Amino acid sequence: MAVQSVQDSTASVVPPGSADSIDLGPAIALSCRECGERSTLGPLFACAVCFGPLEVAYELPEGDPEGLRRRIEAGPPNIWRYAPLLPVPADVAEKPGLDPGFTRLVKADNLARELGVTGGLYVKDDSGNPTHSFKDRVVAIAVEAARAFGFTTLSCSSTGNLAGAVGAAAARAGFASCVFIPHDLEAGKVVMAAVYGGDLVGIEGTYDDVNRFCSELIGDPLGEGWGFVNVNLRPYYGEGSKTLAYEICEQLGWRLPDQLVVPVASGSQLTKIDKGLKELIALGLVEDRPYKIFGAQAEGCSPVSRAFKDGHDVVRPVKPDTIAKSLAIGNPADGPYVLDIARRTGGAVEDVTDEEIVDAIRLLARTEGIFAETAGGVTVGVARKLFAAGVLDPSLTTVVLNTGDGLKTLDAVAAGPSATIRPTLQAFRAAGFGTSR
């Protein structure tokens, strides 16, 4: 396939070398999601023609779905089993990395009973990744792009989880790192981002302020040789979220779920899950049948949910005010695409209050033994709300995403012991404990 080369304003950051020498496996170009214009593979994120967002275009394997399925199943127990479908070199599994992915898909029967679900309820629990969030997936793909383009430093703007994932991946892969976060993040996420030895910079303001600063730094000599995983490497970074779709379908026996509930921050995860499902259908790896995707937001940062409910195609930015800081992006880049996918698939975008988030975290922990961070409380809370309203069908197979570990957001559910007693049976009985409790 011929690929049209296009120059744009970010071309000056491309390291020396021929684009023809870049090995990112089946990836052949960058394609604009708005106008379809194509660019050669490089650290670009905006179309030179219409300034629309770029995403990776592929030449994917065709004609032998059974052979491809066997090849995937014989692969390593991480995202590299899907290397033939990702913008990474064929030998990616042999390179030093954190090797995230293939996390648990938990059949949540106890939670299903609580919510009145009869068709099968599953929690895709991505807290089992190396730095305990789904961000390890997207960073792993971005690292391979950074290697291909000759970058020496990994960077990002982050609401917390991404900062830790970049710091850890950089340490493992031999990159320097410098990550930027809002100044008021949860302490657990700050510690996890700082421990890997890279530079951690707090920015006064919201995540949107941090992101704007990073966009300015890319064009400055100070940022030369830096790969910002969610800015100039964003087209590659976003592809990591497809592996959630791949894993869910493989773990369901190579079938599509009927309904998915996905948290929405920038919206990239939801859009790439949809892309992954469509790719599996096109490759013949799953049966082509309808599925619905539902977006979940916190009420205190719900610009996409508001636009959906108001019937708008444009997402109006908001100032975040929620305990779900990992979802606190007031100007979500992929918001319009989330609206399109929710409407196209017959889904919806809903939000829940901070109180409902905390209650949902406790519900998931109490019923399934999964301690979710606040983003997981958002998805479970939205799922419960939509089941109660009859928007989610309880007779269908439903997958809810938990994208991070509750140990990162302890303040949301801070609690002490049920009782403090003297070390005697008498004191234990007096406190009301025992077989009759």
Side-chain angles (χ1 to χ4, degrees):
M1 174 182 290
V3 179
Q4 184 176 357
S5 176
V6 178
Q7 298 296 317
D8 77 357
S9 59
T10 63
S12 61
V13 305
V14 181
S18 170
D20 295 335
S21 66
I22 293 172
D23 178 13
L24 289 176
I28 58 171
L30 295 176
S31 178
C32 177
R33 268 197 274 181
E34 290 295 322
C35 72
E37 189 73 21
R38 292 202 168 196
S39 306
T40 53
L41 295 171
L44 314 173
F45 58 95
C47 175
V49 175
C50 72
F51 301 105
L54 298 175
E55 63 179 7
V56 180
Y58 298 88
E59 280 186 353
L60 295 178
E62 295 180 351
D64 184 15
E66 289 301 324
L68 178 57
R69 191 180 290 120
R70 287 193 297 271
R71 179 179 174 185
I72 290 171
E73 291 172 345
N78 53 55
I79 62 171
W80 304 136
R81 68 200 285 117
Y82 308 110
L85 312 179
L86 297 170
V88 295
D91 64 348
V92 62
E94 302 170 14
K95 298 181 178 182
L98 297 179
D99 301 334
F102 222 65
T103 54
R104 301 184 303 161
L105 182 68
V106 179
K107 193 168 190 297
D109 291 338
N110 296 329
L111 179 61
R113 282 192 290 273
E114 289 265 349
L115 301 184
V117 179
T118 58
L121 179 63
Y122 297 82
V123 176
K124 181 58 172 170
D125 184 16
D126 245 25
S127 66
N129 276 310
T131 69
H132 308 290
S133 89
F134 92 96
K135 292 295 187 180
D136 290 319
R137 298 174 181 272
V138 291
V139 171
I141 307 297
V143 164
E144 295 312 309
R147 282 184 173 129
F149 303 142
F151 288 123
T152 57
T153 298
L154 290 183
S155 186
C156 69
S157 53
S158 174
T159 57
N161 284 326
L162 181 58
V166 168
R172 173 69 175 145
F175 287 84
S177 68
C178 182
V179 299
F180 301 89
I181 59 173
H183 68 287
D184 60 349
L185 283 187
E186 302 98 333
K189 290 180 180 176
V190 173
V191 171
M192 193 164 193
V195 74
Y196 300 109
D199 291 320
L200 176 66
V201 181
I203 301 290
E204 296 178 359
T206 67
Y207 169 81
D208 298 291
D209 296 316
V210 179
N211 199 43
R212 280 191 293 270
F213 169 79
C214 289
S215 297
E216 292 177 12
L217 184 55
I218 286 175
D220 190 276
L222 288 170
E224 186 176 350
W226 289 31
F228 289 79
V229 300
N230 55 343
V231 188
N232 60 351
L233 296 177
R234 187 176 182 84
Y236 313 94
Y237 156 96
E239 295 295 283
S241 290
K242 294 193 311 182
T243 61
L244 281 161
Y246 299 160
E247 288 178 20
I248 289 168
C249 290
E250 182 178 354
Q251 291 169 322
L252 287 175
W254 292 108
R255 64 184 178 91
L256 294 167
D258 298 309
Q259 305 173 141
L260 297 99
V261 184
V262 181
V264 174
S266 72
S268 175
Q269 182 185 69
L270 186 148
T271 63
K272 290 304 187 290
I273 286 175
D274 179 61
K275 184 180 180 183
L277 296 177
K278 290 192 292 185
E279 287 177 351
L280 293 180
I281 292 170
L283 290 166
L285 294 174
V286 298
E287 179 186 355
D288 185 4
R289 59 185 182 83
Y291 60 86
K292 296 181 180 181
I293 298 183
F294 297 79
Q297 293 204 292
E299 184 181 277
C301 186
S302 53
V304 186
S305 174
R306 292 183 192 179
F308 181 87
K309 293 174 183 178
D310 292 341
H312 296 161
D313 296 324
V314 176
V315 176
R316 296 183 60 185
V318 300
K319 184 175 181 179
D321 182 17
T322 174
I323 61 170
K325 293 184 183 296
S326 60
L327 302 184
I329 297 180
N331 188 16
D334 281 23
Y337 302 104
V338 170
L339 294 172
D340 177 66
I341 290 167
R343 289 166 178 154
R344 171 174 55 80
T345 65
V349 187
E350 185 55 271
D351 55 79
V352 284
T353 65
D354 283 356
E355 291 76 17
E356 289 172 314
I357 293 168
V358 171
D359 192 49
I361 292 172
R362 291 178 171 145
L363 172 64
L364 182 60
R366 173 173 58 81
T367 56
E368 300 297 341
I370 298 172
F371 185 16
E373 69 158 303
T374 48
V378 169
T379 53
V380 173
V382 164
R384 176 167 60 177
K385 188 173 183 177
L386 293 180
F387 277 124
V391 178
L392 278 168
D393 188 336
S395 69
L396 298 179
T397 301
T398 306
V399 176
V400 177
L401 269 64
N402 172 44
T403 52
D405 195 318
L407 291 174
K408 296 185 177 188
T409 56
L410 289 172
D411 288 349
V413 289
S418 300
T420 300
I421 63 171
R422 294 179 59 80
T424 67
L425 292 176
Q426 182 179 5
F428 185 63
R429 291 191 186 97
F433 294 99
T435 56
S436 63
R437 185 178 175 85

